[in-house]
Amino acid sequence: MFFNEIKNRINTLGDFVLFVFNVFYETLSLKFRFSLFLQYMNLIGAQSLSIIIFTGFFTGAVFGLQIGSVFMVFRAEGLMGGATGIALATELAPLITGFLLAGRVGSATTAEIATMVVNEQVEAIEAMGVSPIHYLVTPRVFASAIVMPLLCGVFMFIGVIGSYMAGIYIYSIDEGVFFENLVYLAQSKDIIVGLRKMFFFSFIISLLSCFFGLKASGGAKGVGLATTDSVVKILIYILISDFVISYIEVH
Amino acid sequence: MIYFKNVSKIFGKKKVLDGLNLHIPKGQITLILGKSGEGKSVTIKHIMGLMQPSSGQVIVDGKDVGLMSNSELRNMRSNFGMLFQHAALFDSMTVLENIMFPLKEHFHFSLPEMLDRVEDVLNQVGLQGIEDKLPGILSTGEKKRVGLARALVTNPKVLLYDEPTTGMDPLVCEMIDNLILKVSKLNPDLTSIVISHDMKAALALADKIVMIYNGKVALAGTPGEFKTSKNPIIRQFFSGKVQGPMEFL
Ligand SMILES: Nc1ncnc2c1ncn2[C@@H]1O[C@H](COP(=O)(O)OP(=O)(O)OP(=O)(O)O)[C@@H](O)[C@H]1O
Ligand SMILES: [Mg+2]
């Protein structure tokens, strides 16, 4: 029982490694599907832009609100801009964007591909002499790698606006001071740190969601199982890799 | 041109094919019979390389399908057309996009040429004016016929039909049977493999019939040989009776 479980996990890991290898191998060996790539960029952006803006604004505002009350004690409200900027750029934006996109894009991808698998549509793609990985997975992976960091950038920008509003209207901080500190403390390197994280997360989201979709079996129930499994695993691996990346960065 | 050599296929504990030996001749219509769940769909998926045998070999044009590289497989498949038992249409694409899919992938036709071909195959399966519909709203029989059109559109060298007429009214059945025959006559090199339950049509259509039972070939021969066969399993299948040597679990 226990050993079977371990054996299954090792098998799954092996399958995943092979899958990732195939994704990149076929990217190099077959003609890139540019129109699908554009289509998925558009889809991922359209699916998630509004929720990213909404969440970014309130995350920034709440963070500003909380940290402002602490800084008030030390009469250091002016530092709010800088503190929010750093926290948003390096940690909050990539993590929350990653979680949102796992729920929004990852689940949709797994459900769509899993449905295609259980309805034999993926076999039909193969039967017509087309590689399902090259057709379904590769364009999604590359579209995600470009659009997801962009969405993360939007989150950072809107988040700063949220915290600015909190600072100006709740703690009556001077706008000049807010931005002066923001620019002084938060540097472009922080933004790069955050975007780079999101770039990593984008592969976790796209590769895992496609992998779980392709592995699905057994009707509507199988699609449901694959989808929850996929989202939970994506969240876990985002958290783990966030820790690892941050650890490497600090050292 | 297609050989099964001692092919076994096991799913978990279930042995579906059990040392199947089979020859499918080139340029003919071969019909595969067998009761439901006997492994007919599994058999033709082996020909396409969509499933690999647990043991044994499937040989297509002298090559072992299990040993083909990905590009060899893609190349082989682009010369094949397959109608899936449940049509397997892409439900996010319109009927037109579904049928154009294999054309776009493997040929360099202009758009008007492709539209012409699509209209032509749709006419052949008796459907008009549904190009812009999504598969989800079509009836089972209509889906099946769109699937058939998608299999025919590339003029493949080998056509595999998984129960092309199941779920259709007698008139459409007749039309599809005639179409299979016509396509095969028109193109003497075309190899057709048909899975069917319809005994009457089977006898009229086939050059060769293969009856699968218990994962093996129970009888392979011409329609004439089938009609006169004394094999109790064949007789039972022809009579359509539940009582007999064939067990229904
Ligand atoms: N991917 C799979 N995994 C596990 N078992 C499978 C799989 N595909 C088919 N089987 C099993 O193999 C057996 C044969 O299936 P198959 O679809 O070939 O039957 P069939 O002869 O086409 O029947 P029908 O006439 O009803 O279509 C069935 O018992 C089925 O449960
Ligand atoms: Mg079948």
Side-chain angles (χ1 to χ4, degrees):
Chain A
M1 184 63 207
F2 177 67
F3 284 108
N4 268 340
E5 175 71 17
I6 290 182
K7 209 175 96 189
N8 280 341
R9 280 183 189 225
I10 291 175
N11 275 341
T12 310
L13 183 69
D15 287 349
F16 183 68
V17 171
L18 195 68
F19 165 78
V20 174
F21 173 79
N22 273 330
V23 170
F24 290 101
Y25 177 73
E26 295 196 352
T27 306
L28 297 175
S29 61
L30 299 174
K31 193 166 147 274
F32 191 67
R33 291 178 180 271
F34 200 71
S35 71
L36 281 177
F37 165 75
L38 291 181
Q39 207 175 308
Y40 287 127
M41 288 219 299
N42 189 9
L43 190 73
I44 295 168
Q47 266 178 346
S48 355
L49 188 60
S50 53
I51 191 157
I52 292 287
I53 290 177
F54 182 84
T55 317
F57 182 83
F58 281 100
T59 307
V62 169
F63 190 77
L65 200 64
Q66 299 280 15
I67 207 155
S69 75
V70 177
F71 281 171
M72 279 259 275
V73 178
F74 304 103
R75 304 210 150 277
E77 302 95 305
L79 294 176
M80 224 179 104
T84 323
I86 292 177
L88 269 174
T90 58
E91 194 55 55
L92 288 174
L95 199 61
I96 296 179
T97 308
F99 275 26
L100 287 173
L101 292 176
R104 194 94 180 111
V105 180
S107 63
T109 303
T110 308
E112 190 182 330
I113 295 182
T115 308
M116 293 183 76
V117 169
V118 301
N119 293 330
E120 293 183 318
Q121 292 173 44
V122 172
E123 276 188 350
I125 293 180
E126 267 192 285
M128 284 186 268
V130 174
S131 152
I133 286 187
H134 192 63
Y135 188 80
L136 296 171
V137 182
T138 312
R140 280 186 165 94
V141 170
F142 285 90
S144 301
I146 290 183
V147 174
M148 290 184 174
L150 286 178
L151 288 168
C152 180
V154 171
F155 190 104
M156 292 175 188
F157 180 73
I158 302 285
V160 168
I161 293 180
S163 113
Y164 168 79
M165 302 279 244
I168 299 295
Y169 292 111
I170 297 171
Y171 297 112
S172 326
I173 302 172
D174 183 67
E175 321 180 3
V177 175
F178 183 94
F179 280 113
E180 198 179 305
N181 269 298
L182 176 68
V183 179
Y184 180 65
L185 288 172
Q187 294 161 348
S188 56
K189 111 174 175 309
D190 297 318
I191 296 176
I192 290 172
V193 166
L195 294 184
R196 197 167 52 196
K197 265 187 191 169
M198 191 59 226
F199 181 69
F200 259 114
F201 297 166
S202 82
F203 285 98
I204 295 180
I205 296 171
S206 59
L207 287 170
L208 278 177
S209 62
C210 291
F211 178 70
F212 279 101
L214 286 173
K215 233 165 49 89
S217 64
K221 198 169 164 222
V223 175
L225 281 178
T227 308
T228 26
D229 210 20
S230 149
V231 174
V232 170
K233 295 273 160 58
I234 291 172
L235 296 183
I236 291 173
Y237 285 111
I238 284 182
L239 279 172
I240 294 176
S241 60
D242 186 31
F243 178 80
V244 174
I245 296 171
S246 304
Y247 184 85
I248 294 171
E249 225 119 59
V250 169
H251 280 67
Chain B
M1 67 155 313
I2 299 170
Y3 293 92
F4 279 61
K5 290 189 178 160
N6 236 335
V7 171
S8 296
K9 180 68 180 174
I10 302 166
F11 291 111
K13 292 196 178 78
K14 196 177 149 99
K15 201 162 201 175
V16 178
L17 301 181
D18 183 11
L20 184 76
N21 283 297
L22 185 61
H23 167 55
I24 294 170
K26 190 176 171 149
Q28 297 190 0
I29 301 180
T30 301
L31 207 117
I32 298 178
L33 291 176
K35 69 175 205 277
S36 178
E38 197 59 75
K40 304 183 295 295
S41 301
V42 167
T43 303
I44 63 168
K45 283 182 183 175
H46 276 80
I47 300 175
M48 298 293 289
L50 297 171
M51 285 183 180
Q52 299 297 339
S54 308
S55 67
Q57 290 170 305
V58 179
I59 311 279
V60 175
D61 267 339
K63 278 198 191 126
D64 187 337
V65 178
L67 299 178
M68 285 187 187
S69 69
N70 280 341
S71 65
E72 279 177 315
L73 266 180
R74 277 196 293 273
N75 191 26
M76 174 191 95
R77 287 167 179 161
S78 63
N79 290 316
F80 281 34
M82 175 163 175
L83 166 63
F84 281 78
Q85 185 165 2
H86 305 287
L89 301 176
F90 305 129
D91 47 23
S92 59
M93 297 183 192
T94 63
V95 167
L96 176 71
E97 289 165 337
N98 263 285
I99 302 176
M100 274 198 328
F101 185 90
L103 282 183
K104 275 193 189 159
E105 287 298 328
H106 300 295
F107 299 87
H108 301 281
F109 291 127
S110 67
L111 188 65
E113 283 171 324
M114 285 199 276
L115 291 177
D116 258 12
R117 281 208 57 79
V118 171
E119 199 189 325
D120 182 39
V121 283
L122 276 176
N123 275 331
Q124 289 187 36
V125 298
L127 294 169
Q128 277 109 15
I130 61 157
E131 283 91 339
D132 298 327
K133 291 192 174 143
L134 286 171
I137 61 164
L138 300 179
S139 75
T140 313
E142 287 170 328
K143 277 185 202 154
K144 207 66 180 274
R145 285 189 276 163
V146 174
L148 184 54
R150 187 175 67 179
L152 291 170
V153 76
T154 54
N155 279 330
K157 296 195 181 77
V158 179
L159 266 163
L160 304 103
Y161 309 87
D162 196 343
E163 306 198 9
T165 55
T166 308
M168 289 181 212
D169 64 81
L171 297 179
V172 176
C173 276
E174 171 107 14
M175 187 188 80
I176 303 277
D177 287 335
N178 287 337
L179 178 63
I180 294 174
L181 211 56
K182 191 188 91 192
V183 173
S184 170
K185 287 260 158 62
L186 229 65
N187 186 347
D189 284 339
L190 175 74
T191 307
S192 309
I193 301 156
V194 188
I195 294 177
S196 180
H197 291 303
D198 184 351
M199 292 304 303
K200 202 176 97 226
L203 294 175
L205 206 63
D207 298 309
K208 175 175 181 175
I209 303 179
V210 177
M211 168 93 191
I212 296 181
Y213 179 61
N214 273 351
K216 294 188 180 67
V217 172
L219 180 69
T222 62
E225 288 166 345
F226 264 74
K227 272 185 217 155
T228 56
S229 166
K230 298 250 166 11
N231 187 326
I233 289 180
I234 312 290
R235 293 270 59 87
Q236 188 195 348
F237 204 78
F238 269 62
S239 67
K241 294 208 173 74
V242 176
Q243 278 85 21
M246 210 176 335
E247 295 159 23
F248 288 83
L249 302 170

